[in-house]
Amino acid sequence: MLLFWFYTVWIPLLTVFDRALSSYSEDQCSWKGSGLSQQPGSVEQISLHCAEGSLDWLYPKGALRLTLSPRLPSTVVGPGGNRHSGSGHITACVKPAESFHGAQLYLERDGILELLVGDRPESQRPPRVRCFSRHPGERVALFLQATPHQDISRRIAAFRYELRGVWNARLSLDSDPVNSEGACRPCNDTEILMAVCTSDFVVRGNIRSVVENQDLQVSMIKVSATRVFRQKYALFSGAGRLTKAGEIRTLLECGVRNGAGSFLFTGRVHFGEAWLGCAPRYKDFQRAYSLAKEARQIPCELASD
């Protein structure tokens, strides 16, 4: 009798709730829904149109196919800020939630599936950020396949995503080859000047300490910022009038060490975290900037000391 009540009363109520819950965000950056109303073997088609957002799939059942069609600004789509002059490459990264369970996430590239995130046992470490590139003319989508479980009530497959244009490897973060290649190589003068113009943060400061995280395979650089030229979000803050504090991440394999002196830190914000790009000593930046200014070859102005 109890089982009959569950299927005739509770399941229909859950299905109605599920249909009401399944929705896009107003700006079409994110989607939230559940698999309770999906038919076995069905694939729900989803399309999102932002450079960053999220997906939350409750009670995974069946499959989802997610197409990312971002309305990226022209400045991040191709070199030189020209939407049509660039190579058309887009770098995308997904960051699974620590509680990601109940589904497997695949990259679908020209009809071929590549596993990005598996359905892991709860005892395993949280899944890592995964990145990939889309080349011109390629058809790319994300495919989520629910895995069978007797109890789906505690299963949620959720992740955040970010997309950018041609994304320099040194400004990314995963162990995936698309990100780590060349990430530890020092910047030349041209790269330093371009980083000043295009980075999410440009900060002059000193290294207070470097903390290594073996689990994440990253180094956390604790920075005292004496001047914040630009920052996306409140990365460097504090009550002090002259200095602000912040943290910048880089790959552990780069072997960053504590060093005396003033540096110019540049880089990208990735899922709310600051990741190191070019970081010359401030005097080296001043030299490169002065030479380029004299030759009238500076890509942008910076109010340096």
Side-chain angles (χ1 to χ4, degrees):
M1 183 64 183
L2 181 60
L3 187 62
F4 174 78
W5 177 86
F6 180 82
Y7 279 100
T8 56
V9 178
W10 182 239
I11 287 295
L13 285 176
L14 282 177
T15 302
V16 171
F17 172 75
D18 166 63
R19 288 171 177 165
L21 178 64
S22 178
S23 63
Y24 290 86
S25 60
E26 291 184 4
D27 52 10
Q28 291 190 311
C29 296
S30 301
W31 179 89
K32 185 174 184 179
S34 79
L36 290 177
S37 61
Q38 286 187 236
Q39 298 297 322
S42 66
V43 179
E44 182 168 350
Q45 302 287 335
I46 300 169
S47 182
L48 299 176
H49 304 284
C50 294
E52 57 185 80
S54 63
L55 181 143
D56 293 82
W57 193 21
L58 286 66
Y59 323 122
K61 184 180 178 183
L64 302 179
R65 187 176 185 272
L66 172 62
T67 302
L68 300 174
S69 305
R71 296 182 286 264
L72 292 173
S74 59
T75 53
V76 299
V77 173
N82 188 328
R83 182 178 295 272
H84 301 290
S85 67
S87 61
H89 288 71
I90 290 180
T91 299
C93 293
V94 293
K95 183 177 183 179
E98 291 188 5
S99 58
F100 187 99
H101 289 297
Q104 298 193 111
L105 176 62
Y106 295 88
L107 170 64
E108 180 188 316
R109 191 194 300 271
D110 290 331
I112 299 175
L113 296 180
E114 173 191 341
L115 181 64
L116 294 179
V117 182
D119 187 8
R120 61 189 177 85
E122 294 188 12
S123 58
Q124 287 187 359
R125 290 189 303 179
R128 299 184 62 185
V129 172
R130 294 298 307 274
C131 299
F132 57 90
S133 290
R134 188 195 72 185
H135 302 287
E138 279 190 320
R139 300 174 61 185
V140 172
L142 294 175
F143 187 83
L144 283 92
Q145 176 70 56
T147 51
H149 291 282
Q150 289 185 339
D151 178 15
I152 63 172
S153 62
R154 299 174 57 190
R155 309 288 173 178
I156 300 177
F159 63 84
R160 295 165 62 189
Y161 71 88
E162 285 186 351
L163 298 96
R164 293 182 181 268
V166 179
W167 198 355
N168 193 314
R170 69 175 64 255
L171 302 179
S172 313
L173 51 132
D174 195 26
S175 59
D176 190 294
V178 72
N179 299 297
S180 62
E181 182 181 356
C184 303
R185 176 180 57 80
C187 295
N188 57 38
D189 288 354
T190 301
E191 291 170 330
I192 291 171
L193 296 175
M194 285 303 299
V196 167
C197 301
T198 60
S199 293
D200 291 335
F201 62 89
V202 181
V203 173
R204 180 183 180 181
N206 307 90
I207 299 176
R208 292 191 291 115
S209 63
V210 178
V211 179
E212 296 183 348
N213 188 315
Q214 296 290 339
D215 290 337
L216 297 177
Q217 287 293 292
V218 299
S219 296
M220 318 282 196
I221 307 170
K222 310 289 184 178
V223 173
S224 293
T226 56
R227 183 167 184 180
V228 178
F229 294 99
R230 180 171 68 255
Q231 64 175 333
K232 183 179 181 181
Y233 310 121
L235 300 170
F236 300 87
S237 60
R241 186 174 63 87
L242 299 179
T243 62
K244 299 182 182 299
E247 181 179 281
I248 305 175
R249 301 185 176 206
T250 191
L251 298 176
L252 185 63
E253 65 191 70
C254 294
V256 174
R257 295 290 180 265
N258 198 346
S262 181
F263 294 83
L264 186 72
F265 298 99
T266 68
R268 295 290 192 194
V269 176
H270 193 66
F271 294 114
E273 300 165 343
W275 284 84
L276 186 65
C278 297
R281 290 189 177 274
Y282 193 71
K283 62 180 181 180
D284 293 332
F285 157 71
Q286 285 182 307
R287 174 191 54 77
Y289 186 82
S290 297
L291 290 174
K293 191 170 185 178
E294 290 176 6
R296 297 184 178 180
Q297 294 179 345
I298 54 173
C300 65
E301 295 277 352
L302 186 71
S304 58
D305 297 337

